[in-house]
Amino acid sequence: MAQIQPRKTRSKAVRYGVPAAVAGVAALTVGLVPALASTGNPDLPKISAEKLVAKMAASDVQHMSGTVKINTDLGLPSIPGSGSGGGGFGGGPGAGSGAEDGSGGKKDSGSAASPDSKLMELASGEHTLRFAADGPDKQRLSVMEDAAEYSLIHNDRDVWGFDSGTNSAWHAKAPRDAKGKAPGTDHEKMPDSVTPQKAAEQALKAVGKSTSVSVEGTAKIAGRDAYQLVIKPKGAPDTTVESIRIAVDADNGVPLKFTLTPKEGDKPAIDIAYAKVDFGKPSAGTFDFKPPKGTKVTEAKPHAKPGGKAFDGKKHDGKKFDGEKPGLSGLAGLDIVNKGASDWNKVASFDTGMPGGIGGKNGPAGKEGEAGKGGDRAEKLLDGLTDEVKGDFGTGRVVSTRLVNALMTDDGKVYVGAVTKDGLVKAANADSK
Amino acid sequence: MSRAELTEERASGRPGAERPDGAAAAGAPARSRAVWSLGLFRSELTITFRRWRTLALLAVLAAVPILVGVAVRIETSDGGSIGSGGGEGPAFISQITNNGLFLVFTSLAATLPFFLPMSIGVIAGDSVAGEASAGTLRYLLVAPSGRTRLLLAKFTTVLVFCLAATLTVAVSALITGALLFPTGEVTLLSGTAIPFSEGLLRCLAVAVLVAVSLLGLAALGLFISTLTNSGIAAMAATVGLLITVQIVNTIPQLHAVHPFLFPHYWLSFADVLRDPVYWDDILKNLGVQALYTAVFGSAAWARFTGRDITA
């Protein structure tokens, strides 16, 4: 059987059918499997919103571990030319450029492994985290990065942060009498601060007269049956929040998914969900950590406040994981301006003590480059990022995102809130009277 | 390599030509087929690994870890930390000074985007087209081994080269790392410490994963190799395709197709170093490689078995 000539020429077409069939089957599988998996919401007995909220509050799950996917699209203004190498591929407000901005910021701050700077990176783009908990004293959160990982480990009195990318660690320790909570570790520095549970807890704090809560159908999250709890602001015309959706495990009341949709656009601004969850006890070694040799360890100063840093435009995205307004009062020097307003309409303010604001010629923007030309460029940059507004308070500039807006007046006051631009101006007007 | 030299090499490399042992083949027909396949595979393997080209590729791959190791050693010899000069190096580079084992991961991460796949592209692209351009393909087909089996022997040889190339980088990095830097307990990305022996095991797992990551490209190269009679054209096309796909993989606007590109999950081998191991992306990588191997392997088979061999 000499093989110089092929055996049968007419079987050629049949042969080419093989790779085509393989590719076709693969394409079908890729297209159909997710579609099939997502259909069929579970059939669960009806439950009232009150009962579901109570179930959530009463949930007493001590052990769990899982993978969390966080997707945030706050629509932060992108600064032209700030992207590093990736600038050539378009610096849209997508996941890529957001991550770059975040890592840039990481290097500027003192310790790369401090939770402040790391959790700030979660404020934009898509992230995968792993979370494990064993009671209130042992938690671990790992932020997965490309070929690196940031771990925040809470074990009894110690809170450790370890960044494998820069090989540096951060440590905070509680005094002997205070069990559980370490000093200077406010609740946003604890490993569970970015789980759906914590987000749901914060959202429920806002539940009151000004909020409508309802149960809307069911869903399957991470292979578990869940009820969908929908929270909507009521009587707050200026808020930017359209709705908050929480998927609650039908079995044990653990929130499995948290979605916050702003009024502007359909895409959720914050989406935190378990991709995988397991309610078994994690192995004890999960919560052990000792800094490896050669690691630079930064000790946290007791009672060091994360808010002590300069108030820059990025500040407001850090507080977003505290839910909406409740977190604001935690920052030093913040006042709620319109205390009488509905929870969703509240606006906070603080004084930068920097007359001239960011619009002034001696503002920080003016310092870049030499006088004249550099100033013009800064002015142009400022116009691209902010809108000028006028009101009874004078003039100011508004930095807008999809969720949180900030108004900086020319006399150095800053108003921040999850309200529209008009709402901010209204609050500022009322404040200046 | 001249055509005459190659033909001579080919002739001496074939077991049939070297030792006309009809004794083995005269037994049961089934057994003779098995012996033929094995002999074919063995001769392919010796021919591939005896070539200067292959040895040069492996030498370049072995030099990369030495280069990285020495550079890191010099930079940190004054007690400074790596990366203080600014800029970002390949993954894991900051951990090398604490544990030499990390040189293995750094070297694999540094060679995986281009060096390793390029050498695979050269070997796979040349596998069939090289024979055709040297005029030896028809002699190979005269032997009663069948086209399918010849193709299988070729593909297996490329796979062995994938593994050999990866292990060359890993072993060279391991030796360099052990000589220049301290070893001992390995700290995983999650901050957990594991004993050195387990670290070595993870090292091996990473090397095998990297080798398997190259399967898709190997099958693609083999398919391209069956399309043309010019070895150079097949190599250039394979490597060119690799570069194109790598570029597409970096364009954020095309993120919808990224999960289906063969290099997209290549760096997922780093997930082996997490505690516990994060399997999601590793499994996706294996799936993509299996898909590419199935599609382009069968396409190569369809093309090669139905083609007129004129050279």
Side-chain angles (χ1 to χ4, degrees):
Chain A
M1 21 167 182
Q3 297 284 325
I4 293 175
Q5 291 295 315
R7 282 177 205 167
K8 286 174 203 141
T9 38
R10 73 189 156 93
S11 66
K12 248 189 200 176
V14 182
R15 285 167 195 280
Y16 279 109
V18 178
V22 173
V25 167
L28 274 180
T29 322
V30 168
L32 282 183
V33 168
L36 288 177
S38 68
T39 54
N41 289 335
D43 235 355
L44 295 169
K46 283 234 177 316
I47 188 167
S48 72
E50 289 76 30
K51 270 196 184 146
L52 191 58
V53 172
K55 191 185 179 103
M56 228 158 102
S59 167
D60 186 29
V61 172
Q62 294 286 321
H63 321 300
M64 68 176 300
S65 54
T67 310
V68 182
K69 295 243 185 226
I70 294 191
N71 224 321
T72 37
D73 179 12
L74 296 179
L76 295 174
S78 61
I79 298 167
S82 75
S84 43
F89 288 122
S97 69
E100 263 167 41
D101 292 349
S103 60
K106 171 186 79 186
K107 269 170 211 126
D108 299 338
S109 65
S111 165
S114 131
D116 294 333
S117 49
K118 271 296 172 176
L119 296 184
M120 196 84 99
E121 283 175 32
L122 298 178
S124 64
E126 216 182 308
H127 299 269
T128 307
L129 289 77
R130 286 204 289 199
F131 175 67
D134 182 3
D137 289 340
K138 285 182 178 182
Q139 289 120 30
R140 180 195 187 104
L141 179 83
S142 306
V143 184
M144 310 234 249
E145 295 155 23
D146 287 342
E149 193 167 315
Y150 175 73
S151 309
L152 194 58
I153 302 149
H154 171 212
N155 192 349
D156 221 7
R157 284 167 42 220
D158 293 297
V159 179
W160 282 100
F162 175 66
D163 180 24
S164 84
T166 54
N167 206 15
S168 52
W170 174 91
H171 182 219
K173 199 166 172 67
R176 255 165 228 297
D177 48 337
K179 200 171 175 291
K181 288 265 184 225
T185 53
D186 310 315
H187 127 114
E188 69 256 32
K189 283 195 196 166
M190 297 309 260
D192 62 353
S193 57
V194 290
T195 56
Q197 288 100 305
K198 208 41 89 174
E201 204 176 279
Q202 292 294 341
L204 284 181
K205 273 192 193 164
V207 171
K209 290 201 298 278
S210 56
T211 309
S212 84
V213 183
S214 59
V215 179
E216 280 182 21
T218 57
K220 211 161 181 80
I221 311 288
R224 295 186 66 91
D225 296 345
Y227 290 107
Q228 298 254 42
L229 189 72
V230 179
I231 299 174
K232 277 190 177 145
K234 213 162 57 180
D238 291 330
T239 181
T240 49
V241 178
E242 168 73 36
S243 70
I244 295 175
R245 223 165 239 279
I246 304 169
V248 183
D249 194 306
D251 193 32
N252 55 21
V254 171
L256 297 175
K257 187 174 158 92
F258 174 93
T259 316
L260 194 154
T261 317
K263 278 187 176 153
E264 194 186 311
D266 312 326
K267 235 185 120 216
I270 304 174
D271 186 80
I272 312 175
Y274 278 105
K276 248 185 230 150
V277 68
D278 178 12
F279 291 103
K281 193 179 162 88
S283 73
T286 312
F287 308 104
D288 291 341
F289 179 79
K290 76 174 169 30
K293 61 177 174 22
T295 304
K296 197 172 68 206
V297 179
T298 315
E299 288 289 334
K301 284 192 208 90
H303 306 295
K305 275 279 178 191
K309 276 185 280 178
F311 286 117
D312 54 333
K314 273 205 151 178
K315 188 207 62 62
H316 48 258
D317 58 30
K319 62 124 234 189
K320 113 198 133 49
F321 287 111
D322 296 346
E324 290 321 301
K325 275 85 5 200
L328 277 176
S329 45
L331 283 162
L334 280 183
D335 306 312
I336 301 294
V337 179
N338 45 356
K339 290 200 175 68
S342 144
D343 278 349
W344 298 93
N345 261 357
K346 286 218 163 87
V347 170
S349 77
F350 56 83
D351 206 326
T352 57
M354 225 177 18
I358 58 167
K361 288 271 178 274
N362 50 353
K367 282 180 194 156
E368 300 184 5
E370 304 127 328
K373 211 172 174 187
D376 283 355
R377 216 182 319 141
E379 198 83 25
K380 224 179 247 171
L381 184 73
L382 210 57
D383 281 338
L385 287 175
T386 61
D387 296 319
E388 206 175 73
V389 289
K390 283 190 170 71
D392 296 348
F393 58 89
T395 53
R397 286 182 176 272
V398 171
V399 181
S400 343
T401 71
R402 293 178 68 208
L403 199 58
V404 180
N405 290 326
L407 165 66
M408 280 154 253
T409 64
D410 283 351
D411 49 5
K413 281 200 105 177
V414 178
Y415 299 88
V416 186
V419 296
T420 56
K421 205 158 75 178
D422 295 342
L424 272 181
V425 173
K426 248 188 267 171
N429 284 342
D431 191 40
S432 67
K433 272 172 198 163
Chain B
M1 193 173 291
S2 78
R3 185 168 290 202
E5 192 188 340
L6 203 106
T7 320
E8 191 185 310
E9 192 183 63
R10 164 69 70 206
S12 67
R14 296 266 155 234
E18 201 176 75
R19 43 186 172 91
D21 49 351
R31 196 169 151 244
S32 87
R33 277 173 169 242
V35 170
W36 255 113
S37 304
L38 199 68
L40 199 62
F41 170 58
R42 210 168 48 198
S43 80
E44 282 301 329
L45 208 60
T46 33
I47 284 168
T48 305
F49 279 92
R50 260 196 211 155
R51 282 203 175 132
W52 281 111
R53 180 200 303 161
T54 313
L55 296 179
L57 278 175
L58 291 179
V60 169
L61 286 173
V64 171
I66 300 173
L67 201 69
V68 175
V70 170
V72 169
R73 176 80 196 191
I74 290 171
E75 197 194 331
T76 57
S77 58
D78 56 351
S81 71
I82 187 93
S84 50
E88 285 189 21
F92 308 114
I93 201 156
S94 68
Q95 280 108 317
I96 294 179
T97 42
N98 299 317
N99 197 319
L101 200 62
F102 274 93
L103 187 58
V104 177
F105 309 128
T106 309
S107 308
L108 286 175
T111 49
L112 191 51
F114 192 69
F115 262 125
L116 267 176
M118 186 199 68
S119 63
I120 305 303
V122 168
I123 299 293
D126 189 55
S127 58
V128 176
E131 301 270 9
S133 61
T136 48
L137 189 55
R138 64 177 106 184
Y139 299 111
L140 268 175
L141 293 177
V142 166
S145 57
R147 293 189 177 196
T148 308
R149 221 168 310 152
L150 176 65
L151 200 67
L152 269 180
K154 291 275 185 199
F155 189 53
T156 322
T157 311
V158 179
L159 298 193
V160 170
F161 180 77
C162 287
L163 196 64
T166 316
L167 287 178
T168 305
V169 177
V171 169
S172 158
L174 192 63
I175 294 170
T176 316
L179 287 179
L180 294 181
F181 304 101
T183 53
E185 266 198 348
V186 183
T187 305
L188 298 177
L189 295 184
S190 315
T192 329
I194 55 167
F196 189 67
S197 56
E198 207 190 318
L200 276 180
L201 267 182
R202 297 222 185 197
C203 230
L204 186 70
V206 163
V208 172
L209 253 183
V210 170
V212 173
S213 300
L214 298 167
L215 276 190
L217 180 70
L220 194 62
L222 190 72
F223 172 58
I224 293 174
S225 187
T226 59
L227 294 179
T228 170
N229 278 345
S230 156
I232 299 293
M235 285 186 230
T238 311
V239 176
L241 203 67
L242 165 78
I243 297 170
T244 314
V245 171
Q246 291 275 50
I247 290 172
V248 169
N249 200 19
T250 59
I251 301 177
Q253 280 78 3
L254 298 175
H255 65 92
V257 298
H258 286 176
F260 306 102
L261 300 178
F262 61 87
H264 186 65
Y265 294 110
W266 271 357
L267 285 179
S268 70
F269 76 81
D271 291 345
V272 171
L273 301 175
R274 301 186 197 277
D275 183 48
V277 175
Y278 182 66
W279 290 104
D280 287 29
D281 284 354
I282 298 177
L283 293 180
K284 277 184 201 156
N285 183 24
L286 295 182
V288 168
Q289 302 309 329
L291 180 65
Y292 270 80
T293 311
V295 172
F296 288 103
S298 57
W301 168 80
R303 164 76 184 161
F304 189 58
T305 50
R307 164 190 175 195
D308 287 340
I309 306 294
T310 49

